[in-house]
Amino acid sequence: MLLPGSGSATLEGYDVVKDFRKIRDILGYMPGKFSLYQDLTVEENLRFFAGIFKTTPEANYDLVKEIYSQIEPFKTRRAGKLSGGMKQKLALSCALIHKPEVLILDEPTTGVDAVSRKEFWDMLDRLKRKGITILVSTPYMDEAMRCDRVALIQAGKIMDINTPEGIIKNFSSRLWSVRTNDTYELLLDLRRFKATRSAFLFGQHIHLTLVDNAGSEPEIRKFLEDCGHQSVEIEETRPTIEDCFMDLMKG
Amino acid sequence: MQTGSLEHISDNNGPIIEVQDLVKKFGSFVANDHLNFTVSRGEIFGFLGANGAGKTTAMRILCGLSSPTSGNATIAGFNVYTQTEKIKRNIGYMSQKFSLYDDLTVWENFRFYGGIYGLKTEKIRERTEELLGRLGLQGEKNKILKEIPLGWKQKLAFSVAVIHQPKIVFLDEPTGGVDPITRRQFWEMIHETAKEGITVFVTTHYMDEAEYCDRVSIMVDGKIVALDTPLKLKETYRAASMEDVFLKLARAK
């Protein structure tokens, strides 16, 4: 849909510039913004997208059955009148109806609640098992753990590509999880601690790394107690993928 | 944020938000089913629920944009049926979709919204300096908004929502689609705002953010099924995280 300034890319061996028509046949794309026809019904949208690819909903029904059956009771409803979760399911059904080999999903779960997000990823797992390659973008770091490999892109550059485990393994700092009875004051104080390299909110804890990995638990504790914090808990913890991404983003 | 106590929250003058038996129906569909809760001054109140649970409907009522079918609610002491204009003057509102004007500069956006809230130019200038100063964005004051990255825009939109020092600020998924560092910076702004005594009423789908709230309510199919501090909720539902609490409650339909 967009031409590169330079460089090249292929999908299933097809060049994104020269063979774009072929790519459209093997690619399913779900844009970040809901882009189906709001004035068409659920069923009409699905039939329309199948028609564009010279197929019918019936021909590839197997592939979308599991997803589409959840919105089938509303098949005569206009797409514009669906709830957010149902729109998302319809959009995925339409992206799949021509049986693509590759599925590209642009932030499919942004603004989606935790339950629906989990169900959506269970669905992606099943599509993967059917042999469909999936490229998906997300701002939710917990979803990164459900990918085979992840790439972190920032300011137009890829910072790292690896398996989730590989990214976690490359986290080089010792990571401390610190907690007191006032998390926000704790954050402000840790920012003033001279040995602090980074301090981030993590639920009711602060995740802390120190400059050159220097500093020990008693030193952190003493600093915090001098600041007036009570019931200080400090323990070393394993980084999550979110820690790793934030570390990479800071450069 | 207090994880052990709520001592920074004051109820000396009664709760800032009071909701009693609030019902909102659209035809036969019950979007809000007898909601009861109060929010204290200076509290960070997390308003959680699945998509379609009825959060936005309730929020629109609390902002004076829609009337309940039955029940009562007062916002900063004003009645949601009869005093909606007074409510609007005393609250700030920011939604994920709400955006500043892309063709105006940062300063023009602040001046525009400050003007809508009836602030004098001098006051707007003073608040703009103060709010941009906190964000370290003084240098961007004369930039056109469309040249500014999304994460900064969200922070600017929040600043605009509190430019008139409202009693309550309503934030509807303010961090949707935002990177993990910017999300955390955003929550630091929320804590700072709460410390100044502005009550924060916030929705989010990020369950780690629910942990940053003083108290959290969880709505399922129009009803509030749980309301407590994150710590108590995790104890009650024997869950390791708010994500688990949410999955247990929202899935048990």
Side-chain angles (χ1 to χ4, degrees):
Chain A
M1 295 198 292
L2 201 62
L3 290 172
S6 61
S8 67
T10 61
L11 248 83
E12 293 281 337
Y14 295 118
D15 186 275
V16 290
V17 178
K18 259 190 2 246
D19 308 319
F20 73 94
R21 281 179 203 283
K22 283 194 183 113
I23 285 179
R24 282 183 190 166
D25 286 337
I26 59 160
L27 176 69
Y29 171 57
M30 183 171 157
K33 210 177 135 210
F34 184 70
S35 310
L36 303 181
Y37 292 93
Q38 312 254 359
D39 292 338
L40 295 186
T41 64
V42 167
E43 195 178 22
E44 285 165 346
N45 265 294
L46 191 66
R47 198 159 290 285
F48 176 79
F49 281 93
I52 288 181
F53 292 102
K54 300 188 171 59
T55 179
T56 60
E58 292 74 23
N60 294 321
Y61 191 70
D62 268 3
L63 195 61
V64 299
K65 186 180 165 196
E66 196 178 349
I67 307 152
Y68 188 70
S69 62
Q70 298 174 43
I71 47 173
E72 211 161 12
F74 311 98
K75 66 182 179 189
T76 57
R77 194 181 286 188
R78 288 184 188 195
K81 300 276 181 202
L82 295 175
S83 73
M86 288 200 277
K87 277 183 183 165
Q88 182 209 35
K89 283 175 185 136
L90 178 60
L92 183 61
S93 301
C94 290
L96 281 171
I97 198 61
H98 62 295
K99 210 174 178 189
E101 290 165 49
V102 180
L103 193 57
I104 295 184
L105 310 168
D106 190 0
E107 293 197 20
T109 55
T110 293
V112 173
D113 68 67
V115 174
S116 309
R117 278 204 301 129
K118 196 167 177 301
E119 286 169 0
F120 191 83
W121 276 88
D122 291 343
M123 224 141 58
L124 294 188
D125 269 343
R126 288 189 287 267
L127 291 172
K128 181 188 129 185
R129 264 181 261 131
K130 287 180 181 157
I132 297 176
T133 304
I134 301 170
L135 182 79
V136 52
S137 68
T138 180
Y140 290 95
M141 295 302 130
D142 57 331
E143 294 181 355
M145 289 308 288
R146 299 196 60 166
C147 301
D148 295 313
R149 287 195 307 146
V150 289
L152 174 70
I153 184 163
Q154 187 181 28
K157 288 203 176 91
I158 289 179
M159 322 281 290
D160 199 6
I161 301 187
N162 209 329
T163 60
E165 292 73 25
I167 285 178
I168 290 173
K169 223 175 274 169
N170 286 344
F171 189 82
S172 54
S173 303
R174 285 178 81 182
L175 186 67
W176 302 93
S177 175
V178 186
R179 175 174 178 167
T180 67
N181 57 3
D182 189 335
T183 318
Y184 184 56
E185 280 303 316
L186 171 65
L187 177 67
L188 297 182
D189 285 335
L190 283 174
R191 291 259 168 84
R192 291 191 295 109
F193 185 41
K194 62 180 190 314
T196 296
R197 180 172 159 271
S198 69
F200 288 117
L201 282 168
F202 261 84
Q204 294 177 338
H205 297 83
I206 304 288
H207 281 188
L208 174 75
T209 63
L210 300 175
V211 179
D212 299 328
N213 284 327
S216 62
E217 197 245 300
E219 279 171 316
I220 306 169
R221 182 178 297 277
K222 178 164 187 318
F223 171 77
L224 291 176
E225 283 170 355
D226 290 348
C227 290
H229 285 279
Q230 286 159 13
S231 39
V232 177
E233 292 170 30
I234 303 170
E235 57 180 18
E236 205 170 340
T237 188
R238 250 177 68 81
T240 65
I241 197 139
E242 188 145 349
D243 290 297
C244 301
F245 278 141
M246 290 198 294
D247 203 57
L248 287 166
M249 285 173 74
K250 273 176 64 111
Chain B
M1 153 187 22
Q2 307 275 321
T3 53
S5 66
L6 302 176
E7 70 213 5
H8 65 301
I9 294 163
S10 138
D11 255 343
N12 291 342
N13 307 306
I16 191 91
I17 298 177
E18 209 165 358
V19 177
Q20 288 170 330
D21 278 330
L22 185 123
V23 174
K24 179 72 180 184
K25 289 185 187 169
F26 296 102
S28 62
F29 177 70
V30 185
N32 292 155
D33 192 353
H34 293 88
L35 305 185
N36 284 289
F37 62 91
T38 59
V39 180
S40 307
R41 277 162 220 272
E43 182 168 16
I44 300 174
F45 189 84
F47 197 54
L48 310 186
N51 299 110
K55 300 187 301 283
T56 303
T57 302
M59 236 169 154
R60 286 178 53 83
I61 294 171
L62 301 185
C63 291
L65 298 170
S66 161
S67 278
T69 307
S70 64
N72 281 310
T74 56
I75 311 302
F78 300 114
N79 185 292
V80 289
Y81 291 99
T82 57
Q83 296 174 299
T84 51
E85 289 312 309
K86 283 193 173 135
I87 290 175
K88 288 176 200 166
R89 235 171 286 157
N90 282 282
I91 63 165
Y93 177 70
M94 175 193 168
S95 87
Q96 197 190 343
K97 281 179 194 141
F98 163 85
S99 50
L100 304 172
Y101 289 92
D102 248 0
D103 293 331
L104 297 184
T105 64
V106 170
W107 158 243
E108 286 165 344
N109 269 290
F110 277 73
R111 194 179 54 191
F112 176 75
Y113 283 100
I116 284 185
Y117 284 114
L119 301 187
K120 298 236 162 61
T121 308
E122 204 34 55
K123 179 75 182 166
I124 298 175
R125 217 177 280 282
E126 188 186 300
R127 282 290 283 164
T128 304
E129 289 303 322
E130 185 188 335
L131 292 162
L132 289 182
R134 272 189 220 168
L135 296 177
L137 295 179
Q138 298 101 317
E140 317 297 320
K141 194 174 156 184
N142 295 314
K143 271 220 177 114
I144 304 274
L145 222 77
K146 64 179 155 213
E147 293 165 11
I148 287 179
L150 174 76
W152 291 9
K153 273 189 201 168
Q154 296 287 88
K155 289 186 234 170
L156 289 170
F158 178 81
S159 296
V160 164
V162 295
I163 191 167
H164 55 303
Q165 289 160 307
K167 297 202 171 73
I168 310 164
V169 62
F170 289 90
L171 307 171
D172 195 358
E173 289 183 40
T175 55
V178 169
D179 73 72
I181 291 186
T182 308
R183 275 201 306 127
R184 283 171 173 78
Q185 290 167 342
F186 202 93
W187 272 91
E188 287 174 33
M189 290 175 76
I190 290 180
H191 287 300
E192 206 169 334
T193 303
K195 280 207 150 183
E196 287 167 17
I198 296 178
T199 305
V200 180
F201 191 96
V202 58
T203 73
T204 180
H205 289 310
Y206 290 92
M207 290 303 121
D208 60 326
E209 295 184 352
E211 312 252 5
Y212 305 151
C213 300
D214 292 309
R215 285 189 308 148
V216 165
S217 73
I218 297 178
M219 213 164 155
V220 179
D221 294 339
K223 294 191 179 77
I224 290 179
V225 295
L227 197 173
D228 216 323
T229 63
L231 202 65
K232 286 263 177 59
L233 287 173
K234 284 185 281 185
E235 275 171 23
T236 307
Y237 295 95
R238 292 199 192 95
S241 64
M242 280 304 297
E243 171 116 13
D244 292 339
V245 173
F246 187 83
L247 290 176
K248 276 186 182 178
L249 287 169
R251 193 164 280 201
K253 284 184 193 172

